[in-house]
Amino acid sequence: MTSRGPVGVSVPMQDLSQSSILNTPNSTTTEDSVPVAYATTAENLVESTLAVSGMTCSACSNTIEAVVGSEDGVQEIRVNLVLERARCVHDAAQLSTTALVQLIDDLGFEATVLESRPLRASAPVAASQHPAPGNPGLSPLTVVLGDSAVARSRVHLSIQGMTCENCANTITSVLKSEEGIEEVAINCTMHRGNILFNPNTLRAETIAELVTDIGFPASVLSVEEKLGSADPLAPRLETVELKVTGMTCAACANTIEAVISSLDGVEKIAVNLLMEKATVTYNPSEIGVRAIIAEIGSLDFGASIHNNTHKLGKRNEVALVLQTFKYSLCFAIPIVILKFVFMNIPGTRALLMGYVAPNFTLINALMWMLSTPVQFVLGSRFYVGCFKSLKHKSANMDVLVSLATTLTYSYSLLSVIIGLVSPAYPVRTFFDTSAMLITFILGGKTLEAIAKGRTSEAIQKLVGLQPSTATLLEFAPNCTDYSVIEAEKDIPTELVEVGDILKVLPGEKLAADGEVVWGHTSVDEAMLTGEWLPVSKRAGDVVMGGTVNQSGCIYMKATRVGSSTSLAQIIRLVEDAQTSKAPIQAFADRVAAVFVPGVLLVASVTFLIWFALGVSGSLPDGMIPNGEGPFLYALLYLISVTAISCPCALGLATPTAILVGTGLGATNGILIKGGEPLERAHKLSAILFDKTGTLTEGKPAVSEVVLLGDRFKTEPELFSYLGSAERISEHPLGQAIVRYSEEILAEITEPTEVEVMAGRGIRCEVSKSVVVIGTRLWMKENDIEVTAAVDQRMAEMESLGQTVVLAALDGRLSALVALSDPIKPEARVAVGVLQQMGIETWMITGDNRRTAEAVARSVGIENVYAQVLPDEKAARVADLQAQGQVVGFVGDGINDAPSLAAADVGIALGSGTDVAVEAAQVVLVRNDLRDVVTAIDLSRTTFRRIIYNYVFASGYNLLTVPLAAGVLAPFGVVLPPAMAGLLMGLSSVSVVTSSLLLKLYRKPFISIDQDGPPFHIDWKAATKSAPSSAPKKLTARDIERASLLRSE
């Protein structure tokens, strides 16, 4: 059901927020859980979340919505029958929260207030640079409603108990049906879930409870607040969990909440008395964690950073599966010894075949006693998984395992019972088959869990870069040279705040991003950038958290801490990438949806065929073993087919490869934002390079000045006007003019009446003179004549690759200013190698055609888009896409963001603007264009591995299912159920192991010093050089030499 906003944009009804309600006509509810909106003033708006008990059906929720919605002051009411929650937006001056509760109580339901908070009307928001699908120009995290936007939040969950993609699909389908949840990404391999939701409708903890109720225990790892906020100036909030001790009753918790929530910068706090935990959401620019802990301490309660045990989830899962497998072996090994050893020794065989009850032998009694704990205790995980799956009308591997083992055990038990009643009945049991089947499957799951753990080693290594403590320095008042230290103490890294001065000794890891304020050293940045040579750092240089100080002691000022550090953002980006699905995964999802029902159908047909052949006497004599009738003979084939079929291998084919591939990218300084760009990059057929800052260094400098006319005799006199005019400019060329003005000591003043035209130039007043700086077209638009001689001189300068701007004062042309931007040393070889890979290369720039073609020639590019305005770049991308090209765009600036988002694969340089990095799907941390080659090569390698995995997983089922069904039985080849279970477990292990082979990948080594084309890619050199995943151990001499190289 949708509602139409004031500008005709269709949006889901559940996405309505307070800002949309103000612009929506009165409406009434016709369906369960659909909001009812009423026109009212925005003043005194309160959002109340209530727990409502006593509802039994949708009629109850509809009654509450209808009655409450008809009250004056109620702007919106939503009631969720399943969650037993009601959310009401109302004017507190007309209907208080207490009156609201009483109103619901009067209807015969019990309501209690969970939360009540004031709301503010959303501010208008400008179109974002990151287009969302189907709505270009808007952020994917923003829902359009008229001219307003709604803030969204994203919760990261740890989810346990998932065994295959069917489990992930079940969680996804259930969550997507919930009101307020907009995007769901579940990764079975990593046991992680990322959910984008409307915080006005749901809480993160509620989502975790929903997943737990489905049957998969879930806990909140972290919450990203105010994504796509309607307020462009809204701060990014941090959330911290504190361990609080000393609380004895609810009054203690209420005291802490009241005091802490009153502090400036604290958005909200929730204290859990039973768990002794406080969750605080705060603005780090206003208050730090240390101040919050100190304030709690002043109330005579203890507070410290809460240790999140969820990080051990995967390790605990492996330990649990391994422990279960070990216990299972304790029963399975005696079963094997009894059956295959003692039963083949005449003396012990006679003993075991003795009767302990009528028609009940000792061997059957022992097998029953040994197999029962395996079946119902150690194998309970399969029954629980089967129940969860069937409860939600889906089917997974647990259904197949439970069916196969239960049939085997039940038939054996039934045979024993009949034998006890009828002594003449030939008892035939398979208790050993049941136990062995579960043991083999548990063994396969253990190997699979261990292998899956290795696929996420990249994340584990990145997390391991964060030191646990930092050394905080406190200086004497008014000490500006950091010479008088009053105190030095070690604090947990989580307590580091912006502005702290930290001491870092040689060999220690940096605890935060910051700036060196004292000392000189070299820093190993290999794990973040892939660059194994240490980088020299001195006062004023920027350093990143997680890197290793190698040679000298430094003091650094923390500028970004916690989740804002480069390391934390990289970890989050890689986690999100590994959680997302590649488009090819849709194939596995479709197969998984019908796989188990299909297997059950094949197994049933197999049983009927063999049973019919046995009953009709069509089978050769001796084919059915002695003691087995047609029913038992056919049943064993049914069990084998059920046990050997495995949907897990198909489900693991893509996510495990994506895990390893994105991890490899991260350790090589290439951040790939998900499976989709990783898959799509292998199809790239054309790449557009932005010129300034991408192919060039992005640091243009004035290289030549030609004075025209007789007004100015010297450059300082001219540049006092030009520098003043460009003083407020953010364009690289304008900033270059300002730098040159300062270098030649020109006097710079404030400009007035400034008019800037993107892609053309600037017009303003300086010292009562009108200054116009820009292109030929800009001069023409301002009625300034450019003579043929001037144009010829400009052409000569542009043919040398220089960018030339015209400068005029008071309507007369006064100067030509030529600026040059050095081409990056690796640009030529990167472009050449891409062309050798069969990819067309283009250059796009706002520069004039002569300059653009000169730069393009120097890097080997033949296709050039010149004189393109910033808002036209995305259109050029669309032009190539319309020709059937799969287009990549490489850029770094704000004006590149629309093109990066419009391209099939947007590639941003890590040194670029935040807007560009956000819009791109791939980020090159090292700013080296050769990493474009690496990203594409890694994509191709990963995609090939995914195809290999699918071929193997599909081939496994196509070959083994007929074998288990008995197609080779006439030739004496029969697959016992226990062996079928072993093969099923090994199939998943094989796929995961195949994905782990990607770890052998080494990025191509491309030397800059080549005279190609053709250009040589040295794979051996890439292998011999220090791998980015395991940086070379440097000696003191290596460090000294590297530092000298960097200094030079």
Side-chain angles (χ1 to χ4, degrees):
M1 183 176 181
T2 60
S3 173
R4 192 159 295 278
V7 292
V9 180
S10 180
V11 298
M13 180 67 90
Q14 64 264 28
D15 287 336
L16 290 175
S17 72
Q18 65 267 26
S19 59
S20 66
I21 294 165
L22 296 175
N23 297 297
T24 306
N26 296 351
S27 60
T28 59
T29 295
T30 57
E31 295 183 29
D32 186 30
S33 295
V34 176
V36 182
Y38 297 89
T40 186
T41 177
E43 297 178 1
N44 301 318
L45 278 182
V46 173
E47 179 191 67
S48 297
T49 303
L50 310 176
V52 183
S53 59
M55 296 185 294
T56 58
C57 61
S58 59
C60 300
S61 59
N62 289 341
T63 298
I64 296 173
E65 287 182 343
V67 173
V68 174
S70 63
E71 291 292 316
D72 292 337
V74 174
Q75 188 169 337
E76 178 186 4
I77 173 71
R78 287 191 181 99
V79 180
N80 189 301
L81 176 65
V82 177
L83 297 178
E84 294 187 329
R85 294 287 188 273
R87 173 186 170 273
C88 183
V89 176
H90 57 103
D91 190 332
Q94 299 183 58
L95 181 69
S96 67
T97 303
T98 303
L100 176 63
V101 171
Q102 185 62 47
L103 182 62
I104 296 176
D105 287 345
D106 291 343
L107 294 174
F109 306 100
E110 185 177 346
T112 55
V113 179
L114 298 178
E115 182 183 21
S116 185
R117 63 186 182 88
L119 294 179
R120 292 175 298 176
S122 298
V125 63
S128 169
Q129 296 283 4
H130 324 306
N135 198 353
L138 294 173
S139 169
L141 298 176
T142 302
V143 177
V144 178
L145 293 159
D147 60 351
S148 301
V150 182
R152 292 294 182 263
S153 295
R154 186 183 299 278
V155 60
H156 299 265
L157 300 180
S158 170
I159 305 174
Q160 302 304 316
M162 294 187 292
T163 58
C164 63
E165 283 302 309
N166 267 1
C167 301
N169 293 338
T170 298
I171 297 172
T172 300
S173 62
V174 173
L175 289 183
K176 281 188 174 180
S177 67
E178 289 296 323
E179 182 183 359
I181 293 180
E182 298 175 8
E183 293 179 10
V184 180
I186 307 295
N187 189 297
C188 175
T189 308
M190 293 186 66
H191 299 278
R192 291 288 187 270
N194 290 344
I195 296 93
L196 183 69
F197 66 99
N198 183 348
N200 295 329
T201 305
L202 288 171
R203 294 184 303 120
E205 293 76 10
T206 304
I207 297 175
E209 291 171 4
L210 273 173
V211 178
T212 301
D213 291 342
I214 297 171
F216 303 94
S219 59
V220 177
L221 299 181
S222 62
V223 181
E224 295 179 65
E225 308 267 4
K226 293 189 176 181
L227 297 173
S229 172
D231 182 1
L233 300 178
R236 182 178 179 86
L237 303 178
E238 299 276 357
T239 300
V240 63
E241 289 188 353
L242 302 177
K243 179 73 173 177
V244 181
T245 58
M247 295 186 294
T248 58
C249 61
C252 299
N254 293 338
T255 298
I256 295 173
E257 287 185 345
V259 173
I260 300 303
S261 61
S262 66
L263 297 177
D264 291 338
V266 174
E267 288 282 324
K268 61 182 178 180
I269 177 174
V271 179
N272 189 308
L273 175 63
L274 296 179
M275 298 183 65
E276 295 187 326
K277 184 177 72 172
T279 303
V280 185
T281 301
Y282 65 99
N283 181 355
S285 64
E286 296 184 39
I287 192 170
V289 180
R290 292 205 302 271
I292 296 173
I293 290 178
E295 191 67 27
I296 295 176
S298 69
L299 300 174
D300 293 330
F301 300 104
S304 60
I305 294 293
H306 187 270
N307 292 322
N308 290 320
T309 56
H310 63 258
K311 295 180 180 179
L312 303 175
K314 186 176 290 292
R315 191 180 307 171
N316 290 340
E317 183 202 5
V318 174
L320 179 61
V321 176
L322 179 60
Q323 185 181 46
T324 306
F325 175 57
K326 288 179 179 178
Y327 288 149
S328 182
L329 283 177
C330 293
F331 294 94
I333 291 174
I335 288 175
V336 172
I337 294 175
L338 285 172
K339 181 173 183 177
F340 296 103
V341 179
F342 289 165
M343 284 297 289
N344 291 314
I345 300 174
T348 55
R349 178 181 175 83
L351 176 64
L352 292 172
M353 291 301 293
Y355 291 100
V356 297
N359 211 8
F360 189 34
T361 61
L362 177 60
I363 184 66
N364 281 339
L366 292 173
M367 291 294 186
W368 172 69
M369 287 188 292
L370 289 170
S371 65
T372 299
V374 177
Q375 180 73 34
F376 296 107
V377 179
L378 302 176
S380 61
R381 57 174 287 165
F382 299 114
Y383 285 107
V384 173
C386 175
F387 172 75
K388 294 174 184 175
S389 180
L390 296 178
K391 178 182 176 183
H392 297 285
K393 300 178 182 179
S394 63
N396 59 10
M397 185 205 73
D398 293 327
V399 174
L400 298 177
V401 175
S402 299
L403 178 62
T405 58
T406 302
L407 285 174
T408 307
Y409 184 89
S410 299
Y411 177 87
S412 303
L413 185 60
L414 182 62
S415 180
V416 168
I417 294 173
I418 294 175
L420 290 172
V421 176
S422 303
Y425 179 78
V427 176
R428 184 66 186 269
T429 63
F430 297 93
F431 290 119
D432 57 308
T433 299
S434 166
M436 295 300 295
L437 187 58
I438 290 177
T439 301
F440 282 144
I441 293 173
L442 286 174
K445 285 296 173 186
T446 301
L447 294 176
E448 179 186 331
I450 294 172
K452 285 198 296 186
R454 293 191 59 194
T455 61
S456 57
E457 282 182 351
I459 284 288
Q460 297 167 18
K461 289 180 179 178
L462 288 172
V463 172
L465 293 178
Q466 183 69 49
S468 58
T469 61
T471 303
L472 176 66
L473 300 180
E474 295 179 1
F475 296 90
N478 301 321
C479 177
T480 58
D481 59 357
Y482 308 103
S483 59
V484 184
I485 300 175
E486 285 195 339
E488 179 178 326
K489 57 184 177 181
D490 290 338
I491 61 172
T493 301
E494 295 88 349
L495 298 184
V496 174
E497 300 174 2
V498 173
D500 283 347
I501 304 298
L502 306 177
K503 177 181 179 180
V504 188
L505 297 174
E508 291 184 344
K509 296 175 182 176
L510 279 65
D513 291 358
E515 177 184 339
V516 177
V517 296
W518 179 89
H520 174 257
T521 187
S522 56
V523 176
D524 179 6
E525 299 179 344
M527 282 302 293
L528 293 183
T529 66
E531 176 59 66
W532 67 276
L533 281 173
V535 182
S536 178
K537 300 290 184 181
R538 62 183 70 247
D541 289 342
V542 174
V543 289
M544 293 184 291
T547 55
V548 182
N549 181 23
Q550 291 208 328
S551 59
C553 175
I554 59 171
Y555 299 165
M556 60 168 285
K557 176 184 286 187
T559 56
R560 292 195 295 181
V561 300
S563 61
S564 299
T565 64
S566 300
L567 176 60
Q569 292 176 12
I570 289 172
I571 292 173
R572 176 55 49 79
L573 191 151
V574 175
E575 283 182 337
D576 289 346
Q578 294 182 342
T579 304
S580 66
K581 287 187 177 182
I584 196 173
Q585 178 70 23
F587 165 74
D589 291 342
R590 289 194 296 269
V591 173
V594 299
F595 186 90
V596 174
V599 167
L600 295 178
L601 177 63
V602 171
S604 300
V605 172
T606 299
F607 172 80
L608 293 175
I609 291 175
W610 283 112
F611 182 69
L613 291 175
V615 171
S616 65
S618 302
L619 297 177
D621 293 339
M623 191 168 183
I624 299 179
N626 293 331
E628 291 184 14
F631 178 83
L632 179 57
Y633 186 69
L635 181 64
L636 291 177
Y637 282 116
L638 181 149
I639 294 171
S640 293
V641 171
T642 307
I644 203 169
S645 305
C646 182
C648 298
L650 277 170
L652 292 170
T654 297
T656 52
I658 295 296
L659 273 170
V660 179
T662 52
L664 279 171
T667 54
N668 283 286
I670 302 169
L671 305 181
I672 304 171
K673 299 181 181 179
E676 186 172 352
L678 182 62
E679 176 183 335
R680 196 182 294 154
H682 90 279
K683 301 177 183 178
L684 287 178
S685 58
I687 291 184
L688 276 79
F689 288 93
D690 176 53
K691 181 181 78 72
T692 304
T694 303
L695 290 173
T696 66
E697 295 287 356
K699 298 177 181 177
V702 175
S703 55
E704 186 177 354
V705 178
V706 177
L707 298 177
L708 303 174
D710 55 4
R711 178 164 180 174
F712 299 105
K713 303 298 183 182
T714 64
E715 289 186 8
E717 187 180 357
L718 167 70
F719 276 87
S720 65
Y721 287 92
L722 304 190
S724 299
E726 296 285 5
R727 184 173 184 174
I728 63 171
S729 174
E730 295 182 356
H731 195 282
L733 298 182
Q735 293 174 351
I737 290 175
V738 173
R739 286 195 300 271
Y740 187 74
S741 302
E742 293 171 345
E743 290 172 3
I744 62 175
L745 303 178
E747 184 179 350
I748 298 178
T749 60
E750 287 290 338
T752 58
E753 304 295 330
V754 179
E755 178 188 358
V756 178
M757 184 62 67
R760 289 183 172 85
I762 187 172
R763 173 191 172 98
C764 64
E765 287 188 10
V766 177
S767 301
K768 299 182 180 181
S769 292
V770 177
V771 181
V772 180
I773 307 173
T775 63
R776 295 177 177 85
L777 179 59
W778 186 236
M779 295 296 137
K780 182 177 180 181
E781 291 178 359
N782 284 275
D783 298 324
I784 298 172
E785 181 184 2
V786 179
T787 64
V790 170
D791 191 70
Q792 177 62 31
R793 183 73 176 101
M794 288 181 66
E796 294 173 358
M797 300 165 79
E798 290 167 346
S799 65
L800 300 176
Q802 296 176 324
T803 299
V804 183
V805 296
L806 297 155
L809 268 76
D810 296 326
R812 296 184 59 186
L813 203 59
S814 301
L816 299 178
V817 180
L819 301 101
S820 59
D821 189 3
I823 295 172
K824 291 183 176 179
E826 77 277 5
R828 186 174 61 90
V829 294
V831 168
V833 171
L834 288 171
Q835 292 169 348
Q836 290 173 197
M837 295 170 69
I839 298 174
E840 286 186 15
T841 54
W842 294 69
M843 190 184 80
I844 187 166
T845 179
D847 270 348
N848 65 82
R849 177 156 295 278
R850 291 191 189 93
T851 301
E853 289 180 346
V855 173
R857 280 195 303 271
S858 64
V859 297
I861 294 178
E862 297 180 357
N863 307 304
V864 178
Y865 285 125
Q867 294 177 300
V868 179
L869 296 177
D871 55 354
E872 295 175 350
K873 288 185 177 181
R876 301 289 81 78
V877 172
D879 290 343
L880 289 178
Q881 291 171 329
Q883 299 172 19
Q885 300 271 29
V886 181
V887 181
F889 188 95
V890 186
D892 70 322
I894 291 177
N895 61 354
D896 295 328
S899 305
L900 289 166
D904 295 289
V905 179
I907 304 174
L909 303 185
S911 62
T913 62
D914 290 343
V915 174
V917 171
E918 181 69 23
Q921 294 88 47
V922 178
V923 180
L924 308 182
V925 177
R926 294 194 311 142
N927 305 308
D928 192 324
L929 292 177
R930 289 173 294 179
D931 284 343
V932 176
V933 176
T934 303
I936 296 173
D937 183 64
L938 179 60
S939 169
R940 293 179 176 181
T941 304
T942 304
F943 190 76
R944 283 197 300 268
R945 182 58 56 184
I946 292 174
I947 297 300
Y948 295 158
N949 289 349
Y950 275 132
V951 170
F952 173 81
S954 303
Y956 162 83
N957 285 291
L958 291 174
L959 292 176
T960 57
V961 171
L963 179 63
V967 295
L968 297 180
F971 306 99
V973 180
V974 178
L975 194 65
M979 185 57 65
L982 176 63
L983 290 177
M984 189 268 276
L986 293 178
S987 65
S988 298
V989 177
S990 301
V991 168
V992 178
T993 303
S994 171
S995 295
L996 286 173
L997 292 176
L998 280 172
K999 287 179 173 285
L1000 300 176
Y1001 175 83
R1002 291 292 180 267
K1003 64 183 294 185
F1005 179 81
I1006 307 170
S1007 174
I1008 294 177
D1009 302 320
Q1010 299 189 55
D1011 295 327
F1015 296 97
H1016 177 62
I1017 303 176
D1018 193 342
W1019 295 99
K1020 291 184 178 180
T1023 304
K1024 291 178 180 178
S1025 65
S1028 58
S1029 58
K1032 174 185 173 184
K1033 184 67 176 177
L1034 301 176
T1035 64
R1037 186 175 181 183
D1038 290 332
I1039 295 171
E1040 182 180 357
R1041 292 179 59 193
S1043 298
L1044 289 173
L1045 287 171
R1046 289 290 181 184
S1047 298
E1048 293 173 1

